[in-house]
């Protein structure tokens, strides 16, 4: 899929602007539906997502942390703390046997473009099947915007990758696309599952038992973090690249969550289980 990346890079800026415009449009549609629906309309079915204050804090912390880290990475003289961070992580990588490295390769491929695209399509189809069209819209905007944002940032910062990667990789290093995209796609899926695990939310989503849904959500969240960590262990990214990807993912999700907050409070009926 390497031929796709130059096309995305060329249109990333305009594509990201289009995603933002569509998000505002979806927000307006949601506002009209919230005003006319009794009890309000759930946004992205995120019963476990933060409210307006939490979303604002998440967006500011993620985007602010990313901006601070990016300014240090792009400084003419790399700060000592950043050199120490990347060097300490690199220095604590132990020599793993080949089969263990191959297991890490399999893990890191779960954050590849093809895999995440497949997950995105499956979740979108599941939401469409349940008739959750607004939810599907937010899901697609979150995942598509993530891909465009990370490719645009790579072109802006243009940081080279480590000199001795275990895998053959292409493109710039900062921020880590695997770290950001995995946290957005798998992390958002984990939040959806966690929300569906709440009894009041089960009437609006997939009727999953609460405890298994939440265990699955935790496992998926751990998977997202592990994929980012594998990029450092395979020496295709610096630790600061992965940290930047995580921060940017949190900022992006916080901003979208803030837009997706319903105008009215969601009150779903509860049923005994």
């Amino acid at each position: 899929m390497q031929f796709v990346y130059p096309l995305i890079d060329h249109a990333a800026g305009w594509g990201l602007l289009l995603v933002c415009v569509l998000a505002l449009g979806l927000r307006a549609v949601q506002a009209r539906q919230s005003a006319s629906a009794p009890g309000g309309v759930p946004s992205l079915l995120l019963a476990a997502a933060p409210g307006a204050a939490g979303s604002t804090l998440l967006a500011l912390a993620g985007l602010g942390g990313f901006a601070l880290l990016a300014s240090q990475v792009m400084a003419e003289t790399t700060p000592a703390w950043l050199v120490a961070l990347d060097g300490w992580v690199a220095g604590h990588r132990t020599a793993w046997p080949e089969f263990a490295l191959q297991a890490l390769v399999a893990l890191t491929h779960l954050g590849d473009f093809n895999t995440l695209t497949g997950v995105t399509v499956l979740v979108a189809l599941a939401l469409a099947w349940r008739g959750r069209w607004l939810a599907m819209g937010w899901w697609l905007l979150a995942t598509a915007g993530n891909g465009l944002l990370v490719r645009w940032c790579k072109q802006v910062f243009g940081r080279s990758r480590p000199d001795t990667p275990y895998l053959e990789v292409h493109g710039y290093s900062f921020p880590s696309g695997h770290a950001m995209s995995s946290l957005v796609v798998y992390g958002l899926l984990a939040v959806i599952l966690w929300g569906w695990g709440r009894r009041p939310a089960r009437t609006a989503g997939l009727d999953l038992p609460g405890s298994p849904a939440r265990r699955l959500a935790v496992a998926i969240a751990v998977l997202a973090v592990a994929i980012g960590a594998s990029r450092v262990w395979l020496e295709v990214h610096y630790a600061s690249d992965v940290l930047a990807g995580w921060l940017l993912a949190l900022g992006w999700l916080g901003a979208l969550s803030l837009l997706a907050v319903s105008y009215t409070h969601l009150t779903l009926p509860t049923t005994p289980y």
Side-chain angles (χ1 to χ4, degrees):
M1 297 298 297
Q2 294 300 325
F3 71 92
V4 174
Y5 292 133
L7 299 177
I8 298 176
D9 293 342
H10 182 72
W14 289 109
L16 189 58
L17 179 61
L18 176 60
V19 167
C20 294
V21 171
L22 291 174
L24 292 174
L26 192 57
R27 166 74 164 172
V29 171
Q30 180 176 283
R32 287 197 295 270
Q33 292 199 14
S34 283
S36 60
V41 177
S43 303
L44 196 55
L45 301 182
L46 297 185
S55 298
T56 301
L57 181 61
L58 184 64
L60 291 176
L63 296 176
F66 173 79
L68 176 61
L69 183 56
S71 68
Q72 300 298 293
V73 167
M74 298 306 294
E76 291 186 9
T77 303
T78 305
W81 71 266
L82 186 58
V83 174
L85 170 65
D86 289 335
W88 183 88
V89 174
H92 283 75
R93 282 193 299 256
T94 57
W96 282 24
E98 184 63 24
F99 76 87
L101 289 174
Q102 289 303 314
L104 279 180
V105 171
L107 172 64
T108 207
H109 283 325
L110 294 177
D112 286 354
F113 176 84
N114 291 345
T115 306
L116 294 180
T117 299
V119 172
T120 298
V121 171
L122 289 175
V123 173
L125 290 175
L127 293 171
W129 176 63
R130 296 294 299 181
R132 314 304 298 191
W133 302 109
L134 278 175
M136 187 185 73
W138 284 116
W139 168 262
L140 292 176
L141 286 177
T143 53
N146 154 79
L148 293 168
L149 180 58
V150 75
R151 296 304 302 181
W152 181 77
C153 285
K154 282 179 178 288
Q155 299 305 308
V156 168
F157 296 109
R159 189 187 198 187
S160 299
R161 292 183 183 268
D163 295 330
T164 57
Y166 181 79
L167 296 176
E168 181 181 355
V169 289
H170 304 276
Y172 294 120
S173 187
F174 183 92
S176 168
H178 276 67
M180 179 180 179
S181 300
S182 297
L183 191 56
V184 167
V185 175
Y186 292 125
L188 192 52
L189 178 57
V191 173
I192 291 174
L193 289 171
W194 187 271
W196 278 337
R198 289 182 174 180
R199 285 187 174 184
R202 287 169 63 187
T203 56
L206 298 173
D207 295 327
L208 295 175
S211 183
R214 290 196 165 187
R215 284 197 293 266
L216 181 58
V218 171
I220 291 175
V222 171
L223 172 66
V225 175
I227 290 171
S230 73
R231 305 300 286 175
V232 179
W233 213 270
L234 293 171
E235 301 183 61
V236 294
H237 279 293
Y238 298 105
S240 52
D241 298 333
V242 171
L243 178 59
W246 287 336
L247 288 171
L248 191 57
L250 293 176
W252 175 246
L253 289 177
L256 281 184
S257 180
L258 182 61
L259 282 176
V261 171
S262 295
Y263 279 87
T264 57
H265 293 291
L266 171 63
T267 55
L268 294 173
T270 59
T271 55
Y273 292 93

